[in-house]
Amino acid sequence: MSASPRPVGFVTGLRREARIIQRAFGDDVASACSGADPACAAMAATRLIDGGVRRLFSVGYAGGLDPELRTGAVVMAAEVIDPGGTRHRLDTAWHDGANAQLHDKMAVRIGVMAGRDRAVASVAEKKELFRRTGALAVDMESHAVAEIAVARGISFSVLRVVLDGPTASVPEWLAEAVTPDGGTDWRVLVGCLCRNPASLPALIGLGRAERQAASALFEALRVLCGVLAHEPGIP
């Protein structure tokens, strides 16, 4: 996280996502990685608020739930639903303006984001979660960020790009290879892959998908950077 207080703070699950934020906003951006752990995401959000940020963003990749979404689709949440069913509404007035700016540059879907405390890896799980919630996508940080923001009276936003679409499965063991700071433990990754060789095609496909998702996330963040630049108090 930046040493100097910034008005906007970003919470991500992975260091790869944080690097995309830095490319879009600059090296001194206030951001924190949670290691794809909701509890750590809540702590990261708390640290950012204590450091002086006045708006929180949950930014990064997500799993697609809506059958119409594919890899690279940009999703901005109007509402976040946590694992217990609690719904957190976002700042409608601010999002109307931000959504208009994004829509001028790219296709954006606006709707519900589902939060879960573990990865939703299988196609069957995604289908069932979509049926129950109607959410566009799912991630493991946004609901934790939302809870802290609401408790502290801070505005929050969610900008996500679909990595694995609704018809794509992700190896269930993949989360084991994520380090607490959002990096990759390559020894764990190789070990899991050796025990689950049938997962190799899915892992290769996920790598290809990430390149596409990373490009879309960067472009969306560049537009968002312009939106925030026109807000009072945003340098």
Side-chain angles (χ1 to χ4, degrees), residues 119-139:
V120 178
S122 72
V123 173
E125 281 185 292
K126 292 178 181 180
K127 184 176 181 180
E128 174 61 15
L129 186 56
F130 178 67
R131 185 192 68 79
R132 287 192 288 109
T133 66
L136 298 175
V138 58
D139 72 76

Side-chain angles (χ1 to χ4, degrees), residues 12 25 31 34 36 47 59 63 67 85 90 93 101 103-104 107 133 143 150-151 157 171 184 196 198:
T12 71
F25 282 82
S31 65
S34 68
R47 289 197 304 272
V59 171
L90 279 74
Q101 293 286 335
H103 272 295
D104 283 345
T133 66
H143 66 291
V150 169
S157 304
T184 301
N196 303 273

